[in-house]
Amino acid sequence: MDPCLKLHYPSHEADVRMMLQDYFSQYVPYSVFKESTMNMLRCFYQVFSSGLVSGKTLIDISLGPIIIQLLSVCEFFEEISILKCGDASIKELELWKNKDPEAFDWTHTSKLFMEIKGASRDGWQDAEEMLRRKMKHLVKCDFTKTNPTNPFALPRADCVTCVWGLEMISRDHEEYRITLRKISNMIKLGGHILIYTDINASYFIVGQDKYHLLNCDDSFLRKTLTDEGFAIVHYENMEREACTDRLDHEQKAFIVACKVMET
């Protein structure tokens, strides 16, 4: 594969196991792990433990087969539905849910999560089991369709989490807006969307393959969310710390927005 050619997901699905090893394993450089995992655990857990966001049902629409954000929030919800554009991500999550020995090992992340919430690291297995119990639906989706989960009928949720999802599947800003509108249709009025994203990014690399990321800045994200009927209740920027040329971005952003009207 030409390393200069940017591939677009989900037309070209990444090697998800290599993605997990390159960005989320215990062996990646500390600066990369801090951005990909530590900051995300902190952001999501602080918002839910503070009571800013609550509900019973959650839909996750995130990059690849990551569970970081779900570990952080599962104790606050009764039922979690996970949408994935690619078959490989679904297979990887099924391996983990079924405790298959071939599944990616998230133990290091689960133990870190226990530290962040101020609990004993020994409780990491209980945290993982809670998440497994609450993962009710694992659904293939296609955001080029009017109903991305067709033929599966998914009820509107109290909350949607979206980690590196919109900027990966959207080819341009207009497609980003259209996709966000479809995601909004999955959220109850008064519900929330939580977005963990990159600011001014253009690509990330998995193995030898370079993948497209849509370049979004703070003003675009704020305006688009507002235009699509959301009120931003929390917006946090984190400066880049990762010293790697495998990911191009200037900052991370964590956004919490409440759906205040239908569009």
Side-chain angles (χ1 to χ4, degrees), residues 56 68 93-95 108 144 150 153 178 186 192 225 229:
K56 294 183 178 180
I68 302 160
L93 283 169
E94 287 175 337
L95 289 175
H108 59 292
T144 65
N150 185 53
I178 293 170
M186 301 178 183
H192 292 80
L225 281 162

Side-chain angles (χ1 to χ4, degrees), residues 18-236:
M18 187 172 291
M19 179 195 301
L20 295 178
Q21 295 289 355
D22 286 351
Y23 293 96
F24 303 102
S25 79
Q26 59 185 316
Y27 305 109
V28 301
Y30 175 80
S31 62
V32 174
F33 188 72
K34 184 177 181 182
E35 285 195 12
S36 70
T37 303
M38 295 173 67
N39 287 346
M40 195 193 314
L41 286 169
R42 174 187 60 81
C43 286
F44 280 92
Y45 186 72
Q46 284 182 350
V47 162
F48 286 95
S49 61
S50 71
L52 181 63
V53 178
S54 61
K56 294 183 178 180
T57 56
L58 179 140
I59 296 173
D60 180 68
I61 307 168
S62 297
L63 166 68
I66 61 174
I67 65 167
I68 302 160
Q69 72 287 7
L70 300 177
L71 278 171
S72 303
V73 307
C74 75
E75 68 183 87
F76 304 101
F77 291 88
E78 297 176 7
E79 183 175 298
I80 296 173
S81 300
I82 302 171
L83 308 188
K84 294 298 173 189
C85 296
D87 293 323
S89 293
I90 291 176
K91 180 179 178 180
E92 184 65 44
L93 283 169
E94 287 175 337
L95 289 175
W96 183 82
K97 184 179 181 182
N98 295 327
K99 302 174 75 170
D100 190 293
E102 296 299 316
F104 182 76
D105 185 2
W106 289 100
T107 302
H108 59 292
T109 298
S110 302
K111 289 181 177 180
L112 175 62
F113 168 61
M114 300 307 293
E115 290 183 2
I116 286 175
K117 67 182 293 189
S120 169
R121 288 169 64 96
D122 294 338
W124 68 271
Q125 290 175 308
D126 292 335
E128 289 194 352
E129 285 306 306
M130 179 186 294
L131 176 54
R132 288 186 176 99
R133 289 196 306 271
K134 295 187 177 183
M135 290 168 61
K136 301 300 184 183
H137 306 290
L138 187 52
V139 182
K140 180 79 173 288
C141 66
D142 182 352
F143 279 96
T144 65
K145 297 179 179 178
T146 302
N147 174 12
T149 62
N150 185 53
F152 187 81
L154 196 64
R156 286 191 173 191
D158 297 301
C159 183
V160 164
T161 50
C162 188
V163 176
W164 297 308
L166 282 160
E167 69 270 35
M168 188 173 187
I169 63 177
S170 303
R171 296 178 184 272
D172 53 40
H173 286 167
E174 181 58 26
E175 188 171 350
Y176 187 106
R177 294 185 186 94
I178 293 170
T179 303
L180 178 61
R181 193 170 303 151
K182 293 176 182 178
I183 292 174
S184 177
N185 289 334
M186 301 178 183
I187 306 172
K188 297 176 183 177
L189 196 62
H192 292 80
I193 185 170
L194 287 81
I195 298 174
Y196 190 86
T197 188
D198 291 316
I199 299 297
N200 292 329
S202 63
Y203 71 84
F204 74 104
I205 294 174
V206 177
Q208 298 300 312
D209 296 332
K210 180 181 288 188
Y211 282 85
H212 153 92
L213 286 174
L214 180 64
N215 190 314
C216 301
D217 59 19
D218 291 316
S219 60
F220 169 77
L221 293 172
R222 288 179 180 274
K223 184 177 188 307
T224 303
L225 281 162
T226 302
D227 289 347
E228 294 304 321
F230 291 93
I232 296 171
V233 296
H234 177 82
Y235 198 110
E236 178 180 353

